[in-house]
Amino acid sequence: MPDLKKTFYVTTPIYYVNDIPHIGHAYSTVGADALARFKRMDGYDVFFLTGTDEHGQKIAKTAADEGLEPKQLADRVVERFKEAWAKLGITYDRFIRTTDEDHRKAAQAFFKKVMDAGFIYKADYEGWYCLPDEKFLLDSEVIDGPGGTKTCPDCGRKVERIKEENYFFKMSAFQKQLEKHLEDNPDFLQPASRKNELVNNFIKPGLADVSITRSTVKWGIPAPVPESTVIYVWFDALVNYLTALGWPDGENYKKFWPADVHIIGKDILRFHTTIWPTALMAAGIPLPKKVFGTGYINKDGKKMSKSLGNTVDPFELAATYSPDAVRYYLLREIAFGLDGNYTDDAFQLRFNGDLANDLGNLVSRSLTMLEKYFEGMVPKPGPQGELENQLAAIAKSYASKARTAMEHLEFHTTLIQAWELVKRANKYIEETSPWKVAKEGYGGKEKLATILFSLMEALRVTALSIAPFLPFTASAIWSQLGYSDDIHSHSLKETEEWGKIPVGQKIAKGQPLFPRIEKENKK
Ligand code: MSP
C-alpha cells in the first residue's frame, strides 16, 4: 500500500551564529513548532526544519573580533540554539548547519544547475554592501548618512563601498514569470498586508541581476567556477531548504517538496520572494507554496537585536516562568505577521490572567472536586442538560475553527478559540455550583457526577486543543487526568468526540500549573 498520508513541510529562517538566541529568534521557531505539532495532530506527515546560517563576511568578522575561527564560533553558538530549542520544546526533524557537508554539496550543485541553465554570468560588481544584513545595495537604494557616509535603508547602519569581480544571477530574466506567479498564487506571500509594499517597491520597478559570489570573502562555500571565490551567503543559505530533504534525489525531497510554508521575519521577505523563487525557476524546481513574513518583537518600541543591546533571553524567561508561558505569550499576545512589543508587565498580565486564573484554576478546582466527591475516580454521568450541551458544542466546534485559523497561521485566534472552552467551563462551575449540589443534595449524586464528568471532558478537550501551543502543560494535564500515554500521539479529531474520558479512570492531581506571579516577585 502506498503511504497516502498528507505531507507538510515547514521551515524557519536559519539563524546567523553571530548572535545568541533571543526572543526574536524564538518567535518564528515557536510559531513553526506550533504549526508542525498542529499538523501532526491533524494527521499530516510533517517535516520541520530549522538551523543556522554560518558563512559570510559578518560571521567571519565576529569570529575574528573574538579571536576565533568562524567554525569555532559557529560550534559554540549552535549549542546555545539547540539548548534554547530543547528548553522551549521545539520538535524539529532536522537542525541544519550550512557548514554541513551535504549542504556544501547541495549549494554547489544548485549553483551549477542555474549556471548550466544559462542564468549565471561574470561581471564587475561595484556598489554598496550592508554587512549586518549581508545585502548588496544599489546607488539608488542607499541613504545619505552623517559626514558624507551612506546608510542601509533597512537597518540604518553604515554601508561599505565594494568592488569585486563576481558572478551574477540573471534575476531580471524572471521579471514577468515572478509577477505572474504572484498574481496566480495570491497565497504565495502572506500576510497579504505585506504584499503590496513588496511588489510595488521591489518587484514592479524591475528586478536587477544580483551578485552571487564574493571574491573578497574567504569564509564560504567555494563556488563551482574556475576562480577561487565563495558563494554569496544568501545564495548558499536559501538552498538549505532543499538540502534538508536530500535534494535532488532524496526520498524526503520527493515526499515533502515543495515546502508548504517558509516562516521568516519581514526583513528577509524580499530575499524569499525575489531571489529564492526566481533562482528556483532558473533551476527548474517547483516553488514553495507559501512564504509567511512575521513582524518584529520590539522591546520598548525598538527591534530587539544584538547591536541595540535590548534582547530578552528566552532561557531566562523560561526558567523563571516556564517554557510554555514564553510560548503562550509569543503566540497569543501578538498576531503572527504583525509587529508586537515585549514588556514584563504584558507578560505577567497574560500569565496571571489566561494561564493562572483561567486555565490553572480550572484544572485545579475541577480535580480537587473530583478527589473530594468521587475519590478521584471519573464518575458515570447522568443525562446531559442544556448547560452540558453548551459545553459539548463549544468543544466539538474547536477543531474546524482551529483548522481555518491555522491555515493563515493565526495562532492567537486559535488560542482564543481554545480558551472559549476554558472560560465556559469556569462559568459552568459557577452556574452549577457543585459544592452546593454536594451539600444540599439536590439532584443527587447523579447530578454531581454529570457535572464532574463534564468538567473532566472539558479538561480532556482543552489538553488536546492546547497541545501544539503549550506542549508541557498539555502533558501535565493529561497525566493529571489519569492517562498514562503521550498526549502528543493523539489526534485533533478527538476534540470532536464528547464523552470519551473512561468512567472509572483515576486522576492524579499534581502541582499548580501556573502559580501566580505576585508583584513583589517581579523581575
Ligand atoms: N540568516 C538569515 C536568514 C537566512 S534564511 C535562509 C538571517 N538571520 S538572522 O539571525 O539575522 O535573523 C533570522 C530571523 O530572525 C529573521 O527572519 C529576523 O526577522 C528574525 N528576527 C531577528 N530579530 C527579531 C525580532 N526582534 N523580532 C522578530 N523576529 C526577529 O536573517
Side-chain angles (χ1 to χ4, degrees):
M1 270 288 283
D3 185 2
L4 295 176
K5 236 176 157 187
K6 296 168 288 181
T7 62
F8 194 80
Y9 181 29
V10 52
T11 66
T12 72
I14 48 172
Y15 304 101
Y16 285 131
V17 289
N18 68 312
D19 203 354
I20 55 170
H22 59 66
I23 206 163
H25 302 126
Y27 190 43
S28 28
T29 310
V30 164
D33 184 66
L35 184 60
R37 287 176 178 271
F38 184 87
K39 288 287 180 183
R40 279 188 210 114
M41 280 188 87
D42 204 17
Y44 288 74
D45 194 349
V46 173
F47 196 95
F48 169 20
L49 175 69
T50 191
T52 42
D53 194 352
E54 304 187 4
H55 293 126
Q57 196 181 345
K58 172 161 72 174
I59 307 302
K61 183 174 181 311
T62 310
D65 290 348
E66 293 183 22
L68 297 169
E69 288 301 319
K71 185 63 168 43
Q72 283 178 311
L73 171 74
D75 287 347
R76 185 197 282 177
V77 176
V78 158
E79 289 315 308
R80 300 288 298 271
F81 273 98
K82 287 189 173 166
E83 219 179 307
W85 300 158
K87 282 253 160 65
L88 288 173
I90 307 299
T91 53
Y92 54 78
D93 293 288
R94 170 147 180 206
F95 187 103
I96 195 168
R97 301 181 55 176
T98 51
T99 50
D100 288 340
E101 178 57 18
D102 62 344
H103 179 69
R104 188 180 59 80
K105 286 196 183 129
Q108 290 177 333
F110 185 82
F111 190 109
K112 198 152 183 318
K113 190 132 208 252
V114 177
M115 191 158 57
D116 291 347
F119 295 108
I120 291 182
Y121 64 93
K122 198 168 154 186
D124 281 330
Y125 177 81
E126 184 170 3
W128 302 99
Y129 198 75
C130 172
L131 182 65
D133 288 353
E134 293 278 16
K135 191 188 286 181
F136 295 99
L137 291 162
L138 306 171
D139 283 330
S140 57
E141 288 177 309
V142 292
I143 292 176
D144 289 333
T149 58
K150 300 282 179 190
T151 60
C152 170
D154 297 322
C155 72
R157 285 169 286 197
K158 204 170 146 246
V159 293
E160 54 183 309
R161 186 86 183 157
I162 59 169
K163 195 172 172 196
E164 297 178 350
E165 190 180 49
N166 288 342
Y167 282 81
F168 281 70
F169 166 50
K170 213 168 176 342
M171 185 152 72
S172 55
F174 297 92
Q175 175 82 34
K176 288 239 149 48
Q177 217 175 313
L178 182 62
E179 282 183 27
K180 183 162 181 346
H181 187 81
L182 286 166
E183 260 168 49
D184 294 349
N185 300 275
D187 282 347
F188 176 71
L189 196 174
Q190 278 190 9
S193 55
R194 301 211 184 283
K195 190 166 160 179
N196 282 350
E197 187 196 329
L198 208 110
V199 170
N200 292 336
N201 293 349
F202 302 113
I203 300 177
K204 285 258 152 61
L207 295 171
D209 292 351
V210 47
S211 172
I212 51 166
T213 59
R214 292 293 316 268
S215 54
T216 59
V217 174
K218 294 277 156 292
W219 177 236
I221 297 177
V225 293
E227 300 80 1
S228 137
T229 182
V230 301
I231 302 178
Y232 166 48
V233 63
W234 272 98
F235 213 71
D236 146 0
L238 288 162
V239 180
N240 91 88
Y241 303 131
L242 294 173
T243 309
L245 299 182
W247 174 81
D249 306 313
E251 280 309 310
N252 278 339
Y253 175 69
K254 288 178 208 149
K255 186 165 165 188
F256 290 103
W257 192 260
D260 290 273
V261 57
H262 293 316
I263 294 178
I264 53 163
K266 64 176 182 181
D267 53 338
I268 57 172
L269 204 56
R270 187 175 160 191
F271 292 101
H272 282 78
T273 52
T274 57
I275 301 185
W276 184 226
T278 54
L280 287 168
M281 287 169 182
I285 298 172
L287 269 49
K289 293 180 201 154
K290 189 186 292 184
V291 175
F292 190 100
T294 71
Y296 289 154
I297 307 278
N298 297 324
K299 179 96 199 290
D300 309 318
K302 294 203 180 77
K303 184 192 174 194
M304 218 179 274
S305 73
K306 188 185 176 192
S307 51
L308 292 173
N310 63 348
T311 56
V312 172
D313 181 355
F315 267 145
E316 212 184 293
L317 269 185
T320 314
Y321 301 109
S322 86
D324 276 355
V326 178
R327 292 176 63 111
Y328 184 75
Y329 182 82
L330 292 175
L331 299 172
R332 172 66 184 84
E333 181 72 11
I334 306 150
F336 213 61
L338 302 184
D339 287 343
N341 224 346
Y342 173 85
T343 67
D344 287 341
D345 283 345
F347 189 92
Q348 295 192 6
L349 268 177
R350 283 274 167 224
F351 188 97
N352 282 342
D354 304 3
L355 298 177
N357 280 0
D358 294 348
L359 180 60
N361 275 348
L362 175 66
V363 173
S364 87
R365 288 207 282 176
S366 306
L367 296 181
T368 301
M369 288 191 286
L370 194 76
E371 276 182 339
K372 191 162 166 197
Y373 304 132
F374 292 97
E375 286 153 9
M377 216 108 80
V378 177
K380 185 170 180 312
Q384 289 218 153
E386 181 49 32
L387 294 179
E388 288 76 30
N389 288 341
Q390 285 177 15
L391 265 186
I394 293 174
K396 286 186 198 164
S397 69
Y398 170 75
S400 79
K401 288 192 206 157
R403 278 189 197 103
T404 308
M406 292 296 277
E407 269 320 295
H408 300 102
L409 282 70
E410 288 177 12
F411 304 121
H412 70 296
T413 311
T414 316
L415 283 165
I416 290 171
Q417 279 150 5
W419 251 251
E420 269 184 34
L421 182 61
V422 173
K423 290 185 183 213
R424 188 66 192 84
N426 273 323
K427 196 165 155 225
Y428 175 74
I429 297 181
E430 302 310 319
E431 287 166 344
T432 54
S433 308
W435 49 92
K436 281 197 198 148
V437 180
K439 200 163 148 214
E440 293 159 19
Y442 63 83
K445 199 82 182 170
E446 191 184 53
K447 170 121 201 237
L448 198 56
T450 307
I451 299 171
L452 266 305
F453 180 86
S454 305
L455 286 173
M456 293 309 117
E457 269 300 279
L459 292 185
R460 179 185 67 81
V461 172
T462 296
L464 290 164
S465 310
I466 66 173
F469 311 96
L470 301 159
F472 301 101
T473 308
S475 295
I477 299 175
W478 200 245
S479 61
Q480 293 194 27
L481 284 175
Y483 290 102
S484 55
D485 62 350
D486 179 8
I487 187 170
H488 301 291
S489 62
H490 282 259
S491 153
L492 178 67
K493 283 206 187 86
E494 295 170 46
T495 59
E496 295 172 303
E497 301 161 19
W498 187 256
K500 262 196 100 170
I501 193 163
V503 169
Q505 180 153 290
K506 182 97 175 74
I507 60 123
K509 188 167 177 279
Q511 295 296 314
L513 296 171
F514 298 101
R516 274 183 72 84
I517 306 168
E518 301 303 339
K519 273 283 174 194
E520 51 272 25
N521 297 341
K522 204 174 143 179
K523 293 191 324 122

